[in-house]
Amino acid sequence: INVSRPADFYNIDELLTDEEKLVRSSVREFLEKEVRPLVIDAWHEEKPLNFRELGKKFGELGMLGAFIPEEYGCPGMNYTTFGLICQEVERIDSALRSFVAVTSGLVMYPIWRYGSEEQKKKYLPKLASGEIIGCFGLTEPNHGSDPASMEARCKKDGDEWILNGTKTWITEADIADIAIFWARDVDDGRVKGFIVEKGTKGFHQSALTKKGSMRAGGVGEFSLVNCRVPDEQRLPEAKGLGAPLSCLNQARFGISWGAVGIALDCFETVLSYVKERKQFGTPLASFQLVQEKLAYMLIEITKAQLVAWRLGRLMDEGRATTEQISLAKKNNVKIARDIARLAREMLGANGISLDYSPIRHMANIESVYTYEGTDDIHTLILGRAITGIQAFRREL
Ligand code: TGC
Ligand code: FAD
């Protein structure tokens, strides 16, 4: 086993280009030096990391909207590079990956894919450089897994739209400069998307606190009360629920790589610990039960890396399906969840200290397991693909 890269058992590095590896190493170096030291206190005090400052540094390194073409001041890299960036940020903390995945997949992507030329020119360069922060509002207090039942409404009134609705559990909702708001049109019944700027009359933003997960990041709520925006703020190419759901594909892809980052960080942390820590006169690493746990971790990490890598190439070729993305999100988050818990266990009492990362990853991953489609929802997406029968909704 390669001691410097213990979790690259199948030489997956050889499947990456030099450019992809270069981005990964520069991102990792920056994060280890400048960001990891900030995370424990932020998490402990539930004081979100300063994304205003960090966002600009992320922007300089091309970490925001990595896969969006260069023409609008975006990095113009590929999906695999976006995945590697997500892996590296989530190695540190899931809140950082949330920020990167939401900005890239849920704010920049809908503007790039469904926006007007003016919207792209106005917002994309500022989002890519971290000058402004965005959020994505799909989930509502009464509708999470089932966004088709959303209560948010939009109504055309002359050249303007009147927007009403509440979106909750929204990453960066409290600090966002712009919100992507999804609502059903009262007149034609279709789901439409809008870019709502902070400060627009009737747009209210607030933070959610006392979280037991994602404590180094911000999650909030926003509501629009008879909020009027000009038609220029509507995403003109978004015509139905498929538009917000297609954005989820981008972020779910990022999560599938981010989860590998959690698993790697836990594996590497625990591997060095069990080599050092002695009980019964010998290092923990010498016990068969400990080795069985390490072998399990390595096997699952290797499989997850291969799934993420292959999905990256399919995304780059424009061939990845929603179901393939679901498989990667579900599998990789599940194994990262198991590995974080196992790593915590193997650290003994030290495992409950925030000085070691597994307990923090373990708490964070409960959010990751739930958002962007719960584990159950991805099971049902796969079940539908296998059988051709949807099992999401039942006629009662
Ligand atoms: P269904 O009939 O399946 O689909 C409606 C229309 O949408 C199309 N579609 C998709 N298109 C692109 N990508 C996808 N992933 C798509 N899924 C569906 C579909 O083809 C159809 O199009 P059309 O033209 O035929 O009308 O819709 P359904 O109501 O039966 O729902 C299916 C279900 C349950 C899979 C879907 O609602 C779902 O995925 N629910 C989960 C909701 C979810 O994931 N929410 C996430 C909110 S954002 C978030 O969590 C951010 S956390 C980020 C962070 O901090 O990292
Ligand atoms: P529910 O849909 O009420 O589900 C509750 C339970 O029931 C789950 O276990 C679920 O799997 C199960 N369940 C639901 N339907 C079925 C079914 N048909 N069959 C079997 N079981 C089912 N949303 C956004 O729009 N934007 C964001 O930026 C965002 N950020 C988030 C950040 C964090 C930290 C968190 C925790 C959530 C965030 N969300 C965001 C919301 C997230 O997408 C939802 O929490 C998620 O989609 C699940 O919805 P819910 O919480 O309403 O759970």
Side-chain angles (χ1 to χ4, degrees):
I1 196 159
N2 183 332
V3 184
S4 65
R5 286 189 285 115
D8 186 14
F9 199 56
Y10 267 38
N11 297 334
I12 291 163
D13 257 25
E14 290 173 11
L15 301 174
L16 302 174
T17 65
D18 288 343
E19 199 188 337
E20 287 163 352
K21 283 189 269 196
L22 189 66
V23 173
R24 182 186 59 185
S25 58
S26 57
V27 166
R28 184 179 300 182
E29 195 186 321
F30 156 73
L31 291 168
E32 289 293 342
K33 209 164 107 200
E34 298 195 30
V35 186
R36 196 185 278 276
L38 309 174
V39 165
I40 295 180
D41 284 346
W43 204 95
H44 180 233
E45 292 160 22
E46 202 185 12
K47 199 163 171 242
L49 292 161
N50 184 343
F51 287 113
R52 292 254 163 238
E53 247 175 52
L54 281 178
K56 292 194 181 106
K57 291 190 184 164
F58 283 14
E60 278 167 29
L61 285 169
M63 291 165 66
L64 302 174
F67 58 88
I68 313 258
E70 268 170 312
E71 51 189 318
Y72 301 103
C74 299
M77 296 187 277
N78 62 9
Y79 273 101
T80 304
T81 308
F82 170 54
L84 286 165
I85 292 168
C86 287
Q87 174 183 292
E88 293 309 313
V89 286
E90 195 141 10
R91 211 185 237 281
I92 308 288
D93 194 88
S94 298
L96 292 161
R97 201 266 310 126
S98 264
F99 175 71
V100 169
V102 168
T103 305
S104 308
L106 300 183
V107 182
M108 295 175 73
Y109 177 81
I111 295 174
W112 174 69
R113 172 72 181 76
Y114 300 109
S116 65
E117 197 53 32
E118 293 69 34
Q119 289 167 345
K120 291 179 204 186
K121 284 190 185 136
K122 181 172 178 190
Y123 297 111
L124 288 179
K126 288 183 181 168
L127 287 160
S129 63
E131 194 184 328
I132 60 169
I133 292 174
C135 71
F136 175 91
L138 185 64
T139 303
E140 300 183 351
N142 297 325
H143 309 282
S145 298
D146 178 21
S149 300
M150 69 174 69
E151 291 166 40
R153 291 291 179 264
C154 54
K155 177 154 179 59
K156 188 100 190 278
D157 183 31
D159 292 340
E160 289 184 332
W161 287 85
I162 306 169
L163 310 178
N164 279 291
T166 298
K167 302 289 179 178
T168 195
W169 287 111
I170 306 302
T171 302
E172 324 304 355
D174 54 324
I175 60 165
D177 301 296
I178 58 168
I180 306 291
F181 174 70
W182 299 99
R184 202 173 280 287
D185 187 340
V186 172
D187 294 315
D188 70 9
R190 309 211 71 173
V191 171
K192 296 192 162 64
F194 298 85
I195 307 170
V196 183
E197 293 188 357
K198 191 188 190 88
T200 306
K201 196 163 173 252
F203 177 34
H204 309 282
Q205 303 166 265
S206 59
L208 293 169
T209 54
K210 299 187 198 155
K211 307 189 297 297
S213 173
M214 291 287 186
R215 291 171 58 86
V219 183
E221 192 168 275
F222 71 82
S223 62
L224 302 179
V225 183
N226 290 326
C227 187
R228 283 179 171 270
V229 296
D231 191 46
E232 295 87 74
Q233 294 306 104
R234 181 175 58 89
L235 296 169
E237 304 305 324
K239 297 168 183 162
L241 185 63
L245 295 182
S246 73
C247 304
L248 302 184
N249 288 347
Q250 317 301 310
R252 288 170 179 173
F253 168 75
I255 290 173
S256 70
W257 280 83
V260 174
I262 292 182
L264 288 172
D265 192 50
C266 290
F267 178 74
E268 286 165 10
T269 301
V270 92
L271 181 58
S272 61
Y273 187 85
V274 296
K275 283 183 182 164
E276 291 291 319
R277 170 91 176 164
K278 288 188 180 145
Q279 288 296 289
F280 300 95
T282 53
L284 292 175
S286 69
F287 298 118
Q288 289 181 350
L289 285 174
V290 171
Q291 291 189 5
E292 190 276 334
K293 288 170 189 166
L294 292 171
Y296 165 79
M297 290 180 175
L298 184 63
I299 291 167
E300 293 306 328
I301 287 172
T302 303
K303 291 191 285 189
Q305 284 171 324
L306 286 167
V307 166
W309 174 81
R310 176 64 185 147
L311 186 62
R313 293 297 183 236
L314 288 171
M315 295 284 284
D316 286 332
E317 291 164 18
R319 291 199 291 139
T321 65
T322 295
E323 292 79 12
Q324 288 168 333
I325 296 168
S326 280
L327 187 148
K329 195 271 183 183
K330 178 180 164 68
N331 179 74
N332 291 9
V333 172
K334 167 78 166 64
I335 68 101
R337 190 190 196 210
D338 293 346
I339 288 171
R341 195 161 57 178
L342 213 43
R344 204 295 310 147
E345 171 189 322
M346 292 163 77
L347 295 169
N350 286 330
I352 72 153
S353 167
L354 287 176
D355 288 338
Y356 294 86
S357 60
I359 186 92
R360 184 167 42 77
H361 286 311
M362 210 179 107
N364 284 342
I365 205 153
E366 292 308 306
S367 291
V368 185
Y369 193 70
T370 292
Y371 66 36
E372 288 286 358
T374 66
D375 182 78
D376 292 330
I377 289 297
H378 292 293
T379 304
L380 296 176
I381 290 173
L382 292 171
R384 180 173 61 180
I386 296 163
T387 64
I389 305 167
Q390 75 79 20
F392 299 105
R393 35 178 66 84
R394 295 190 299 137
E395 300 299 329
L396 292 177

